Amino acid sequence: MHCALRRPALFLQRRLLAVVQLAPHNNLRAFGGTGEHGRSDGSGEHSDSWSAQKAGLTATLALAGMFGLLAYNTRPDQSKRKATGWPAFGFLPTVSAKTSATAGNRQQYNFIADAVEISAPAVVFIEIRDRQRVDFFTREPVTVSNGSGFIIERDGLILTNAHVVVSKPHTLVTVRLTDGRTFPGQVEHVDPTSDLATVRIRCDNLPTLRLGSSADLRPGEWVVALGSPLALNNTVTAGVVSSTQRASQELGLRGKDINYIQTDAAITFGNSGGPLVNLDGEAIGINSMKVTSGISFAIPIDHAKAFLRKIHETAGTAGGRRLSSGAPSYRRYIGITMLSLTPDILHELQQRNHNFPPTVRGGVLVWKVIQGSPAHSGGLQPGDIITHINGKEINSSGDVYELLAAQEKKLAITIYRGQQPATVHVFPEDTTA
């Protein structure tokens, strides 16, 4: 069998030698060029003879290569043929375009998009409008604030931040779903201590977001923040968990006992109340506040679960909205959300923000101002740093609350806006919200 397979190759090799030996010496010289004088001495007949022989030689060489390849590929030893990728009885190599690897990487490594696909349908946009103020042209109530939330029950129960829905009296809550439908919202329960609230809309069979666990959250873990910053619906930002145990005392937040999740995922004002989700598409936090680029905080979902359990336990006895006890019936209201500048936060701000005023050693950072509020009317803006009020040095948010409790009619507030100092005047209001 092996001899039979080798026989065509031996025959072709002998044939090739015979053809080469038959070629005359003069014609082989002519093959290299036209000779010393630029042309051959022979006649046209001689040239035609050589052309014919050259064509025969070329055809023989081509046939020899083809049959030699056939004999080579039919050898019992297949390792060389497999290495070169040539087929057993073909004369062309196989060609394949490796496009599946690129498509596979896109499907395999787009873990952020996978988490968003699961969780985004349950995220809602919440708009707060003041019924006592109307637009001059449309005669519609003026929007004073907005935020986000997410659906936790199919019959229209939404979880969000308390500061999103409780801004000032006489407000109207409107909820917009991801499919564009809009519903009036009713604020059912509010807990200012945990900064959590629930809103109900009249709609069934809604997509919901699974509640995960924040107890086993690790620093460095990927998270995704969803919401409607600056009223831009369905915005997605991603980052990692910077810390899982940022105590409210470190942030100077009054009356709270929460270890916040710190993340570098961008959380802006409209993101407040939206979910912070893990790569399984589960809510592990509620977006709460942003200090500066790369420093944002979220309420752990385990605190939200305790808040929801408290709602079920006190159903029918809480008497409506407020779950916290001991809250005053009336309070002074200026319409800002603030953050105490502790030494750790000051250090991070100085490292990340080159425009941070170098002379500031403490104070309060304003990170949200309610539209139409006394602070908004007085000229306060998000990002302002309050250092003094009525000549008194401000070291924490508690100092601001003390001045409000003193029933001051007018607040002369010294601020830093960028690196420039300025003074604004705010007239607080009484509110039951």
Side-chain angles (χ1 to χ4, degrees):
M1 178 68 177
H2 180 64
C3 294
L5 290 174
R6 290 180 55 87
R7 205 169 291 164
L10 294 174
F11 170 74
L12 289 171
Q13 290 174 2
R14 291 169 183 166
R15 172 63 179 164
L16 177 59
L17 290 174
V19 173
V20 174
Q21 289 173 359
L22 289 175
H25 179 68
N26 292 338
N27 288 342
L28 291 175
R29 284 181 59 196
F31 179 75
T34 57
E36 186 178 348
H37 301 290
R39 56 173 296 175
S40 64
D41 295 331
S43 62
E45 181 182 354
H46 180 78
S47 299
D48 293 341
S49 176
W50 161 240
S51 298
Q53 291 179 7
K54 186 168 65 172
L57 175 62
T58 303
T60 304
L61 288 173
L63 289 172
M66 292 170 63
F67 283 103
L69 179 62
L70 176 62
Y72 177 79
N73 283 331
T74 54
R75 292 175 58 188
D77 182 14
Q78 303 293 321
S79 60
K80 291 184 179 181
R81 188 184 73 244
K82 291 180 180 178
T84 57
W86 288 64
F89 294 100
F91 304 103
L92 295 175
T94 58
V95 179
S96 62
K98 294 185 177 181
T99 58
S100 59
T102 302
N105 289 339
R106 181 183 177 190
Q107 296 297 326
Q108 183 177 359
Y109 298 114
N110 266 339
F111 47 86
I112 299 296
D114 294 339
V116 172
E117 185 177 3
I118 296 171
S119 53
V123 181
V124 301
F125 171 67
I126 300 176
E127 185 178 36
I128 311 299
R129 295 184 291 171
D130 187 353
R131 288 177 291 187
Q132 291 188 334
R133 300 173 60 212
V134 297
D135 184 85
F136 179 79
F137 296 101
T138 63
R139 311 308 298 172
E140 293 290 331
V142 174
T143 299
V144 296
S145 181
N146 61 70
S148 304
F150 54 98
I151 305 168
I152 57 175
E153 292 183 8
R154 295 176 61 86
D155 59 354
L157 185 64
I158 297 167
L159 182 65
T160 185
N161 283 142
H163 73 258
V164 170
V165 294
V166 180
S167 54
K168 61 179 302 182
H170 314 294
T171 54
L172 181 67
V173 179
T174 303
V175 177
R176 184 162 68 238
L177 307 181
T178 55
D179 58 12
R181 290 182 293 169
T182 302
F183 298 90
Q186 179 183 359
V187 180
E188 287 195 343
H189 298 92
V190 177
D191 185 5
T193 301
S194 61
D195 192 24
L196 294 171
T198 57
V199 178
R200 176 83 63 176
I201 61 174
R202 294 184 178 276
C203 188
D204 293 323
N205 299 321
L206 294 173
T208 60
L209 185 57
R210 297 195 308 270
L211 303 184
S213 172
S214 54
D216 57 354
L217 196 63
R218 300 174 297 166
E221 187 172 336
W222 279 101
V223 288
V224 184
L226 296 98
S228 304
L230 305 176
L232 301 174
N233 288 17
N234 307 323
T235 298
V236 177
T237 58
V240 297
V241 174
S242 304
S243 173
T244 61
Q245 299 292 322
R246 190 66 71 193
S248 55
Q249 290 79 9
E250 293 184 54
L251 307 180
L253 297 177
R254 182 186 183 190
K256 294 178 174 29
D257 187 18
I258 300 174
N259 289 327
Y260 285 85
I261 300 170
Q262 182 179 337
T263 175
D264 63 358
I267 296 176
T268 53
F269 307 119
N271 276 110
S272 293
L276 186 72
V277 303
N278 59 20
L279 295 186
D280 292 329
E282 300 171 334
I284 48 89
I286 298 94
N287 304 328
S288 183
M289 69 186 81
K290 169 191 174 183
V291 178
T292 188
S293 177
I295 306 177
S296 300
F297 298 97
I299 301 171
I301 200 65
D302 290 347
H303 284 274
K305 289 180 177 179
F307 167 69
L308 295 173
R309 283 196 299 269
K310 190 175 181 181
I311 289 176
H312 291 297
E313 291 171 1
T314 58
T317 62
R321 295 160 55 89
R322 191 175 298 273
L323 292 181
S324 60
S325 59
S329 300
Y330 290 88
R331 65 183 178 90
R332 302 285 281 167
Y333 166 82
I334 60 174
I336 64 172
T337 307
M338 50 191 167
L339 187 70
S340 300
L341 294 179
T342 62
D344 289 340
I345 294 178
L346 272 172
H347 178 71
E348 289 198 57
L349 285 172
Q350 291 165 353
Q351 293 295 319
R352 292 176 178 268
N353 187 359
H354 298 296
N355 291 324
F356 192 84
T359 58
V360 172
R361 295 292 180 267
V364 169
L365 174 70
V366 178
W367 65 273
K368 183 177 181 181
V369 178
I370 303 299
Q371 260 190 332
S373 66
H376 181 263
S377 301
L380 274 177
Q381 297 179 9
D384 289 345
I385 298 173
I386 299 175
T387 58
H388 295 79
I389 297 180
N390 291 348
K392 179 183 177 180
E393 185 177 6
I394 301 299
N395 295 311
S396 68
S397 58
D399 296 335
V400 179
Y401 290 119
E402 288 179 5
L403 285 170
L404 289 174
Q407 300 293 315
E408 295 284 350
K409 298 295 183 181
K410 177 182 177 181
L411 303 179
I413 303 177
T414 302
I415 63 170
Y416 272 87
R417 185 169 295 163
Q419 296 187 353
Q420 301 299 321
T423 300
V424 298
H425 296 90
V426 175
F427 298 86
E429 297 177 358
D430 290 330
T431 179
T432 57

